[in-house]
Amino acid sequence: MHRRAALIALAAVAAIAVLVWLASSGGPRAPQPQAALTEQAPTPTPAPEQRIMLLFAGGDGLLHPELRSVPLPAEVDERIRVVLRELLAGPGAASRLAPVVPYAASLEAVFIDEQGNAFVDLSAPPEPLAGSSTELLLAYGVVDSIILNCPEVKAVQILFGGREVATLAGHLDLSRPLALNKRFIAGS
Amino acid sequence: MKPKLTFLLTLAICCGTLSAQETTGALEFQFGERAVVAPRFGTKVEVVPVLELVGAEVTYSQAAGAWGVVLGEHVLQFATGHKVLLVDGTLHEAGEAPVPSPGGVAASLPYVERFLLSPLGLRLEPIAGGYRIEHGARFADPVTIRPAVADFGTTTTLVLTLSRAAAVTAVEGPGGTVEVRFADAAPQLDTSAPFRSRRVRSITRHDAELSIQLASGIGLLSWRSLDDPPRLTLELGPARPTPVPAPVQTLPLGDSGPRPIVLDPGHGGDDVGARSRDGLVEKELTLALARRVARALEARGYRVRLTRDDDQTRALTDRTALANRLDALLFVSLHANASTAPSVTGAETYYMSLDGPSDAAAAATAELENRAGQTAGEPTALDLILWDLAQAEVLNESAELALAVQGRLNALAGTRDRGVRQAPFVVLTGATMPAVLVEFGFLSNPDEARRLAEPEHQQQVAEAIAAGIEDFVGR
């Protein structure tokens, strides 16, 4: 997969999302045909709840799993969105764990290429991060959480603010997709 | 003419006798009293029987996807589908790639002679139905040239760093060119680091020469050949009436001392790294510690170089490149860690992780090949292949070095053992020698940061790292 193509595709996804949002939220709308009272509009079947495993930072500087039940769509890109939404929301209220992304990040876009590489675009940190431990837990917390719950994904590249970065804190090579790496999960 | 095309044409001319032998069926190779029949595979020939005939040990590394050839002190590494190979640790561009075959790997006869047999001091002589392998390489060992240019007010300095010492001269040529001539080596141009200059238009290779095209009115003012690393420095500026200058100084080529240990104080300049609650800054701490480690190693008789000796910004890739250029014995990058959890303490030592999806690596290779040379400072296809071929070879040694250093750090009172780990760190990418990154403590833990600020503790940590290095070297 050419990363440049992935970035273009990400931009295209973002552009389409903006268009859809504009079309659905503003501007004059054509009158919609009324359905007959006797006919019920088909309601989408809610995604079945499934258990997912999320990885959060422990006080030992390693990743620790937390299980959570959430509606999980069938489409892989939607599943990635759900996993990342839950991951970015942080550990449960009673947990002693900490978020792996140590700032209020949001997921901007997701793209998957034909080789199974997922490209996820997170909002950039407000200030430089420090420490290889911080960098490793962020990267593999995201990468491993996605791949463990979406086996179709072979590797994940994290973009920040729509850009690929060589490294986030001066250590880990983030310039290409990272595969599952359980070395930083406690007990592995 | 493009260098690669020139190279291929040179191959075709030099190996004209070989092409006459390229027929269908197997070829017999004789070496001394022994002989072997190597099957043909299309226009290529099976490589393994030929190399085993001359007594080389041929292995295939699944992890690196690369072939290794060892004969005496020579080590060759190459991979199917890649046009570059490592000859005794130096990267060479071959212009063509070996291919997978029923016998493992096949290559053209020019490739076999030029890149596999010549480095072993052997050549091919045609005989009826095949070739006789004889001692005496037809080709001199190639030398790779990495150019770097800096424009100043009215002059420009062009530095051509050579992969090995070679007899070389520079003269002004026709049409505003400078010709760099190699007496006993085939030059190859490393184009992975593009340059910009107002006075140097291009650098191209023609057989055993480099041709440097200068801007109008610019000439060669002086040149000098220097060692450690082997390099040629050319001063360029307004052309003089007498066009052929004599060299200002020629220093003797050859090894000027033992291979150095390169210590890399992490971060620096704009990149401050981690910071403790009390204001201790990682870039300052790593430099202080590196100086202490250097003194401890020098006291043990080692030669040491630092990637930075003051508060300057250095690209991660430049740090490894320096170690490669110096043909360093070891590369040790020094860092202080930080965690979002203040409770985390301890020391850990990393070496390179090569794991990853092969298709992703292949895709990355293709993508990098597409943009190779477009953006300075970013990894290139050569960097990646260097990483694949070279780092895999030294991976076990890197693991041993990491274990040795970590073992000594663990012996320090009050230092928690976080173990030896692998991770794809940028600064370890492409190192052609055993390379590790040491995280000697957490600045995010107030107690550990306080200890790391104490000169006595710094000295203990430095002595432990130096002792670990010595344990590895003397193993």
Side-chain angles (χ1 to χ4, degrees):
Chain A
M1 173 64 201
H2 295 268
R3 237 165 292 149
R4 187 167 297 161
L7 290 171
I8 293 169
L10 268 176
V13 168
I16 291 168
V18 170
L19 288 174
V20 169
W21 179 78
L22 284 173
S24 62
S25 62
R29 295 182 180 184
Q32 300 295 313
Q34 295 289 323
L37 289 176
T38 53
E39 290 179 12
Q40 292 291 323
T43 53
T45 307
E49 281 215 344
Q50 293 182 40
R51 280 192 139 189
I52 60 173
M53 180 189 285
L54 302 170
L55 295 168
F56 294 109
D60 54 1
L62 294 171
L63 295 168
H64 291 256
E66 180 179 302
L67 295 175
R68 196 174 291 183
S69 291
V70 294
L72 207 57
E75 299 79 15
V76 62
D77 56 335
E78 288 302 317
R79 250 180 300 146
I80 292 173
R81 288 178 189 279
V82 170
V83 168
L84 282 182
R85 187 189 67 213
E86 295 293 326
L87 189 73
L88 295 177
S95 174
R96 290 185 170 184
L97 302 176
V100 290
V101 182
Y103 60 93
S106 59
L107 175 64
E108 304 297 333
V110 172
F111 176 79
I112 301 173
D113 71 13
E114 61 271 23
Q115 277 86 39
N117 297 311
F119 297 82
V120 298
D121 180 20
L122 303 182
S123 52
E127 56 190 30
L129 300 181
S132 65
S133 178
T134 304
E135 195 174 29
L136 286 162
L137 294 200
L138 188 159
Y140 286 113
V142 169
V143 170
D144 290 1
S145 291
I146 290 174
I147 297 176
L148 288 171
N149 295 293
C150 308
E152 308 94 320
V153 176
K154 301 290 185 268
V156 179
Q157 181 170 358
I158 308 172
L159 312 178
F160 293 89
R163 296 170 181 271
E164 67 175 30
V165 298
T167 176
L168 199 55
H171 312 87
L172 188 62
D173 183 358
L174 293 171
S175 67
R176 54 181 173 167
L178 294 172
L180 180 70
N181 182 349
K182 295 181 180 175
R183 294 187 185 101
F184 299 98
I185 301 176
S188 294
Chain B
M1 190 180 295
K2 293 182 177 179
K4 191 173 289 184
L5 184 57
T6 310
F7 175 73
L8 290 173
L9 283 175
T10 306
L11 268 185
I13 294 166
C14 292
C15 305
T17 55
L18 300 179
S19 60
Q21 301 290 320
E22 290 195 1
T23 57
T24 57
L27 289 172
E28 182 181 71
F29 290 84
Q30 298 175 357
F31 183 64
E33 299 298 315
R34 293 175 292 156
V36 71
V37 174
R40 299 298 301 265
F41 184 67
T43 60
K44 302 180 189 303
V45 65
E46 293 284 358
V47 165
V48 176
V50 179
L51 292 169
E52 288 182 339
L53 175 67
V54 301
E57 181 186 350
V58 184
T59 57
Y60 178 73
S61 166
Q62 192 78 37
W67 292 85
V69 179
V70 179
L71 180 62
E73 295 179 355
H74 296 292
V75 179
L76 316 178
Q77 294 158 296
F78 59 91
T80 56
H82 289 298
K83 295 180 180 177
V84 295
L85 76 164
L86 283 171
V87 177
D88 296 331
T90 302
L91 193 69
H92 296 289
E93 186 175 356
E96 63 173 294
V99 299
S101 66
V105 57
S108 70
L109 283 164
Y111 184 101
V112 170
E113 183 179 39
R114 177 72 181 83
F115 294 105
L116 303 183
L117 294 179
S118 278
L120 307 178
L122 302 169
R123 70 177 190 275
L124 291 176
E125 292 294 342
I127 58 172
Y131 294 90
R132 191 173 61 251
I133 301 173
E134 296 193 344
H135 290 282
R138 191 186 307 279
F139 301 96
D141 288 342
V143 58
T144 303
I145 297 103
R146 187 182 182 90
V149 184
D151 284 339
F152 300 104
T154 57
T155 63
T156 288
T157 300
L158 169 62
V159 180
L160 302 173
T161 304
L162 315 182
S163 59
R164 65 169 178 84
V168 60
T169 56
V171 296
E172 282 203 332
T177 62
V178 173
E179 292 175 356
V180 179
R181 296 172 181 166
F182 293 79
D184 60 355
Q188 299 199 17
L189 197 56
D190 180 354
T191 57
S192 61
F195 60 83
R196 287 184 178 178
S197 168
R198 297 192 303 273
R199 302 186 184 94
V200 178
R201 293 270 167 80
S202 65
I203 303 176
T204 54
R205 188 194 60 186
H206 298 285
D207 300 329
E209 290 182 358
L210 290 185
S211 179
I212 301 161
Q213 181 65 55
L214 305 177
S216 176
I218 301 300
L220 178 63
L221 302 181
S222 66
W223 66 275
R224 65 172 68 180
S225 176
L226 298 165
D227 203 359
D228 193 25
R231 62 197 188 278
L232 193 70
T233 302
L234 299 99
E235 292 296 328
L236 309 169
R240 291 174 176 173
T242 49
V244 185
V248 170
Q249 182 185 5
T250 302
L251 299 182
L253 298 173
D255 190 12
S256 61
R259 295 169 68 191
I261 291 168
V262 170
L263 300 176
D264 171 41
H267 307 278
D270 298 335
D271 175 13
V272 298
R275 192 189 295 267
S276 77
R277 202 170 57 185
D278 295 335
L280 187 59
V281 177
E282 183 183 1
K283 66 173 184 178
E284 296 170 1
L285 183 57
T286 57
L287 182 56
L289 196 76
R291 287 172 174 159
R292 290 179 185 274
V293 177
R295 283 197 291 271
L297 287 171
E298 285 166 351
R300 290 168 161 85
Y302 294 99
R303 191 166 154 240
V304 181
R305 287 284 297 268
L306 302 185
T307 57
R308 67 178 178 93
D309 201 14
D310 53 19
D311 184 21
Q312 60 178 289
T313 304
R314 289 212 69 170
L316 294 171
T317 49
D318 288 349
R319 299 168 189 244
T320 323
L322 174 72
N324 287 346
R325 280 202 303 276
L326 294 174
D327 189 25
L329 188 63
L330 306 170
F331 178 79
V332 179
S333 187
L334 300 168
H335 288 254
N337 216 333
S339 169
T340 53
S343 56
V344 183
T345 61
E348 55 200 339
T349 306
Y350 287 90
Y351 66 103
M352 190 65 186
S353 165
L354 293 182
D355 54 8
S358 58
D359 52 351
T365 303
E367 195 273 344
L368 285 168
E369 281 172 348
N370 286 341
R371 67 175 185 178
Q374 292 177 2
T375 309
E378 292 190 4
T380 67
L382 291 181
D383 292 327
L384 191 71
I385 295 162
L386 188 69
W387 169 66
D388 280 343
L389 291 178
Q391 189 60 40
E393 180 68 18
V394 296
L395 206 57
N396 288 339
E397 289 186 297
S398 295
E400 288 180 35
L401 173 60
L403 284 167
V405 171
Q406 185 65 27
R408 288 286 186 164
L409 288 171
N410 292 343
L412 286 177
T415 299
R416 183 168 165 260
D417 175 18
R418 291 183 58 81
V420 168
R421 300 175 187 274
Q422 283 182 271
F425 283 154
V426 178
V427 80
L428 302 179
T429 300
T432 56
M433 72 292 300
V436 298
L437 184 150
V438 182
E439 292 280 8
F440 51 79
F442 278 80
L443 290 181
S444 48
N445 179 275
D447 290 339
E448 194 150 88
R450 208 169 297 123
R451 282 211 310 155
L452 289 170
E454 296 168 0
E456 297 80 12
H457 185 65
Q458 288 178 16
Q459 189 60 31
Q460 289 175 357
V461 173
E463 292 287 351
I465 293 170
I469 290 171
E470 189 169 53
D471 290 345
F472 170 77
V473 175
R475 73 198 189 285

